[in-house]
């Protein structure tokens, strides 16, 4: 499942800058399939969690109004080279994605 | 033989605890009421318990003046307010105004960016929850359909 998340991290002192990209359709539930005319059911990431060495550094709650293939960036203090960064998401259908990487 | 069986059972229990824990945490935390509300005030009440916010110039909200494509509107929010607990993005004229909410944990810097969808021209409001109350700042984003300018 690692291929649904792309993360770039950069250490500046003890601040870690994170840029992340998830591959997800983020269907709103109000769009119609142009061929069949049927409504495409809601399918979106609900929660995105970042942890550094097991401690949560960011919890993002998403609605359907976050763009397709969500991009998200933020920074946190207290990371150092070699720390384990874990990124995981869960969507409204219970599907999940996870990526684990080491800070450099 | 006794000891190995005990170890095995312990191991199984530990595994089970680990496997079930994150799911329970996730399910508890997603504020469904706020996200399913179709009025801005109801969405605010659903998340914060109130829709009264104080306008603040300490929140920097960066959005485009004109968004050619309502499906991808970049939003950046920074704030110099102290003791921030969460940052939320609310789009008043979206079918469901609450777009996203970011929990600021100890160590997290109050500087986030993401891309959102907008149904039509609307105010985009950044709501910052601090231990002293709610602060917000808003900017209008014009959404053009067909991309021929506003």
């Amino acid at each position: 499942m690692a291929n649904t998340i792309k993360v770039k991290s950069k250490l500046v002192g003890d601040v870690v800058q994170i840029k992340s990209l998830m591959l997800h359709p983020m269907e709103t539930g109000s769009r119609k399939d142009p061929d069949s005319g049927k409504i495409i059911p809601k399918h979106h990431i609900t929660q995105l969690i970042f942890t550094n060495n097991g401690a949560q550094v960011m919890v993002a709650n998403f609605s359907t109004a976050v763009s397709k293939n969500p991009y998200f960036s933020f920074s946190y203090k207290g990371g150092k080279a070699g720390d384990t960064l874990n990124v995981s998401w869960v969507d409204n259908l219970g599907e999940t994605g996870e990526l684990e990487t080491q800070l450099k | 033989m006794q000891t190995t069986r005990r170890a095995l059972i312990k191991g199984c229990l530990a595994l089970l605890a680990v496997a079930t824990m994150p799911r329970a945490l996730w399910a508890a935390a997603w504020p469904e009421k706020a996200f399913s509300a179709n009025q801005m005030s109801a969405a605010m009440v659903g998340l914060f318990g109130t829709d009264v916010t104080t306008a603040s110039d300490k929140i920097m909200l960066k959005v485009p003046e004109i968004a050619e494509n309502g499906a991808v509107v970049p939003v950046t929010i920074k704030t110099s307010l102290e003791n921030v607990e969460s940052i939320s993005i609310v789009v008043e004229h979206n079918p469901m105004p609450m777009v996203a909410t970011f929990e600021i944990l100890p160590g997290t810097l109050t500087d986030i960016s993401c891309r959102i969808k907008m149904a039509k021209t609307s105010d985009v409001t950044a709501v910052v929850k601090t231990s002293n109350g709610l602060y917000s700042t808003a900017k209008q984003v014009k959404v053009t359909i067909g991309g021929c300018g506003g």
Side-chain angles (χ1 to χ4, degrees):
Chain A
M1 290 298 279
N3 56 357
T4 58
I5 305 175
K6 281 182 191 166
V7 171
K8 270 189 183 175
S9 62
K10 194 180 163 193
L11 267 168
V12 182
D14 69 337
V15 173
V16 188
Q17 296 172 350
I18 303 284
K19 285 179 180 167
S20 62
L21 196 64
M22 276 60 66
L23 291 177
H24 200 279
M26 298 301 282
E27 282 298 341
T28 60
S30 53
R31 221 163 58 92
K32 277 182 187 166
D33 188 317
D35 298 325
S36 64
K38 280 184 189 157
I39 287 176
I40 304 170
K42 204 186 263 194
H43 188 199
H44 67 103
I45 292 178
T46 53
Q47 205 156 48
L48 175 65
I49 296 179
F50 292 80
T51 63
N52 184 75
N53 277 355
Q56 286 187 348
V57 289
M58 169 56 74
V59 177
N61 295 303
F62 286 174
S63 76
T64 54
V66 173
S67 300
K68 183 179 171 181
N69 299 336
Y71 164 83
F72 175 55
S73 74
F74 76 103
S75 310
Y76 64 91
K77 265 187 192 169
K80 56 182 187 305
D83 281 4
T84 304
L85 176 75
N86 180 293
V87 187
S88 62
W89 59 258
V90 62
D91 68 19
N92 65 324
L93 303 182
E95 289 172 23
T96 58
E98 194 173 6
L99 178 74
E100 204 160 85
T101 179
Q102 253 74 37
L103 296 181
K104 277 181 262 198
Chain B
M1 273 310 177
Q2 280 269 320
T3 46
T4 38
R5 194 172 65 184
R6 200 167 293 166
L8 186 75
I9 291 169
K10 263 189 188 167
C12 283
L13 280 176
L15 259 180
L16 194 74
V18 169
T20 50
M21 193 179 62
R23 203 158 273 274
L25 279 176
W26 274 335
W30 196 66
E32 194 187 343
K33 206 176 143 197
F35 281 131
S36 55
N38 50 18
Q39 291 288 328
M40 184 168 165
S41 57
M44 296 281 289
V45 170
L47 192 61
F48 305 115
T50 172
D51 63 345
V52 181
T53 62
T54 315
S56 170
D57 56 4
K58 286 186 176 170
I59 305 169
M60 197 215 78
L61 170 65
K62 194 178 156 198
V63 285
E65 242 175 75
I66 296 171
E68 282 164 21
N69 183 356
V72 187
V73 182
V75 177
T76 299
I77 301 170
K78 286 182 194 176
T79 174
S80 55
L81 289 164
E82 306 233 320
N83 301 320
V84 175
E85 290 170 6
S86 74
I87 296 177
S88 307
I89 305 170
V90 188
V91 178
E92 190 179 353
H93 291 142
N94 263 11
M96 279 160 280
M98 187 60 71
V99 172
T101 158
F102 306 95
E103 287 170 34
I104 304 298
L105 301 155
T108 314
L109 303 184
T110 49
D111 174 2
I112 55 117
S113 7
C114 70
R115 297 194 286 228
I116 65 167
K117 292 177 206 163
M118 290 179 66
K120 56 184 172 187
T121 298
S122 166
D123 273 0
V124 175
T125 309
V127 183
V128 175
K129 186 187 179 198
T130 74
S131 49
N132 296 325
L134 292 174
Y135 296 89
S136 69
T137 192
K139 266 187 192 166
Q140 196 192 52
V141 176
K142 281 185 183 157
V143 176
T144 57
I145 299 163
C148 306

